[in-house]
Amino acid sequence: DGQLHSLVTFNDMKQFLNPVASPDGKQVAFLYDADNPEFDYLLGLGIVSTDANKQNAITRLTQNFKLSHQQWSVDSQQIYVLRTFGAYKQLYTIKTHNGVLNQLTNLPQNIINYALSPNGKRLAWISEDAHSVSFLHIADSNGNNIETLFKSSIAPDDIALSEVREIEWE
């Protein structure tokens, strides 16, 4: 209708948000820390309807995750995100109707950025390992059939690099 509508209000909350509209235009996904109004450290995923006639409540899809770079699937049924867990960021999907999280990548690499193909069938991402070796990967949109298209290292071939391992403890 050409009018400005507030979809949701964050009362005195410092939040990151980074809103992204769904392809069908019916919802907006954003990142926020629902449990901490002072700092936006554990950014979770929320969605809100764009219907100005509804009382727009936030649907909170995740809790206690550190997410970034959300992007809708072509069919608006799931949202791709990067999740920081331990030393690395990995690609996940989150179902919009129930918040189920599905891990797509599990490489000993930190994913820097990713893109979904226009038809939603393929993913591409840039990652870096602990030795600063950069990679360009492609895969099916469900994370299967990963291919490495490019690998580049800033370290000379004749330099010895230490072993890198992730260690978990309570």
Side-chain angles (χ1 to χ4, degrees):
D1 62 2
Q3 300 297 311
L4 178 65
H5 299 277
S6 292
L7 298 178
V8 65
T9 303
F10 294 90
N11 297 326
D12 299 325
M13 292 177 74
K14 177 186 175 210
Q15 295 296 324
F16 180 73
L17 299 183
N18 191 27
V20 179
S22 62
D24 62 13
K26 294 180 179 179
Q27 300 177 89
V28 173
F30 53 90
L31 299 171
Y32 74 121
D33 190 338
D35 299 317
N36 189 347
E38 301 293 325
F39 301 101
D40 49 5
Y41 178 69
L42 289 176
L43 293 174
L45 188 65
I47 56 175
V48 66
S49 171
T50 58
D51 187 342
N53 297 320
K54 290 184 179 179
Q55 182 167 2
N56 290 319
I58 297 170
T59 300
R60 184 176 177 182
L61 293 178
T62 64
Q63 292 184 7
N64 300 322
F65 294 125
K66 191 170 184 177
L67 305 177
S68 63
H69 296 84
Q70 76 274 22
Q71 182 179 344
W72 287 88
S73 63
V74 174
D75 63 5
S76 300
Q77 298 300 307
Q78 59 187 359
I79 300 170
Y80 290 82
V81 294
L82 290 181
R83 178 184 179 200
T84 301
F85 185 72
Y88 303 114
K89 286 183 184 175
Q90 299 294 324
L91 265 167
Y92 287 76
T93 56
I94 300 169
K95 299 284 186 192
T96 57
H97 66 280
N98 62 11
V100 170
L101 197 73
N102 179 40
Q103 186 171 359
L104 301 181
T105 61
N106 189 18
L107 303 168
Q109 299 169 10
N110 188 38
I111 297 177
I112 310 295
N113 206 347
Y114 71 96
L116 187 61
S117 67
N119 66 5
K121 294 183 179 184
R122 302 285 280 166
L123 279 168
W125 66 91
I126 298 169
S127 60
E128 186 175 88
D129 71 10
H131 292 124
S132 296
V133 176
S134 297
F135 300 87
L136 173 60
H137 297 287
I138 61 168
D140 297 338
S141 61
N142 62 5
N144 292 336
N145 302 314
I146 296 174
E147 297 176 49
T148 302
L149 298 181
F150 181 76
K151 178 180 172 182
S152 174
S153 176
I154 59 172
D157 291 336
D158 61 347
I159 193 168
L161 299 172
S162 65
E163 175 188 0
V164 177
R165 302 183 278 145
E166 219 176 340
I167 300 172
E168 293 184 33
W169 68 89
E170 291 184 23

